[in-house]
Amino acid sequence: MRVKRNLKIQAIECGTVIDHIKAGQALNVLRILGISSDFRATISFVMNASGARGKKDVVKIEDKKLSIEELNRITLISPKATINIIRDFKVVQKNNVVLPSYVEGIVRCTNPNCISNSNEPIKSKFFVLQEDEERVALQCLYCEHVISENIAENLL
Ligand SMILES: [Zn+2]
């Protein structure tokens, strides 16, 4: 019996499919989208699905468009993700996420002595550096500290 790969996740009528998420990052994507027990939209996701380019995660959210802020956060943890906008069960728009060169107020600096971690009302600011296809590093504008791992854990 042949089983089509795309049957793994039910098709959605209207909403957003985030595809080619770095394997293992789907739960972080859900966290970025603020999905908790009181979230009302229908969501489905697959982790470690076999894609043409190796393992990937996929998240589908019905009746939701992502904000720029959400997209920027997703890009930082999964720079190869693609965003598919679905209407009437069809993909009407397909975009790669775009890595911003600079992000403000969305990641905490991991240097405890950084001024952005003091009681001053200062927003964190980072230059975004692309390490390789799958990885991003962030350099703090205040203390020059570089965060190259666990970005997801330090998202604000
Ligand atoms: Zn810093």
Side-chain angles (χ1 to χ4, degrees):
M1 192 177 78
R2 295 185 68 183
V3 180
K4 279 190 189 164
R5 281 216 172 104
N6 61 10
L7 290 180
K8 275 185 180 167
I9 301 189
Q10 211 180 339
I12 61 174
E13 183 176 353
C14 184
T16 303
V17 176
I18 310 167
D19 198 0
H20 301 293
I21 298 168
K22 190 170 165 183
Q25 293 296 320
L27 296 177
N28 285 327
V29 170
L30 297 181
R31 204 159 58 87
I32 287 167
L33 300 174
I35 289 162
S36 59
S37 53
D38 58 355
F39 196 78
R40 283 153 195 251
T42 303
I43 298 153
S44 49
F45 67 95
V46 178
M47 292 181 77
N48 300 311
S50 302
R53 289 175 277 159
K55 300 270 185 209
K56 64 174 183 177
D57 290 3
V58 184
V59 172
K60 295 192 176 194
I61 318 139
E62 286 185 40
D63 301 318
K64 179 171 166 68
K65 265 190 136 181
L66 305 185
S67 69
I68 298 289
E69 290 270 280
E70 289 168 333
L71 286 172
N72 279 346
R73 286 177 166 85
I74 291 167
T75 311
L76 294 184
I77 64 164
S78 189
K80 287 204 309 187
T82 56
I83 308 295
N84 301 284
I85 309 296
I86 313 292
R87 276 193 213 115
D88 295 327
F89 296 102
K90 289 192 197 97
V91 179
V92 293
Q93 211 184 322
K94 186 178 185 127
N95 298 311
N96 295 316
V97 291
V98 180
L99 200 60
S101 55
Y102 169 83
V103 290
E104 190 176 302
I106 66 173
V107 180
R108 185 182 306 109
C109 185
T110 53
N111 170 10
N113 298 320
C114 179
I115 191 162
S116 68
N117 287 323
S118 69
N119 290 327
E120 305 292 327
I122 295 174
K123 271 190 181 175
S124 73
K125 293 179 183 176
F126 292 92
F127 289 121
V128 179
L129 317 165
Q130 182 140 24
E131 299 274 270
D132 59 42
E133 271 203 313
E134 289 272 18
R135 285 187 325 126
V136 164
L138 299 173
Q139 183 171 32
C140 180
L141 262 75
Y142 300 109
C143 71
E144 299 188 342
H145 182 71
V146 174
I147 307 175
S148 55
E149 277 166 22
N150 302 327
I151 290 176
E153 282 73 21
N154 292 295
L155 286 171
L156 295 168

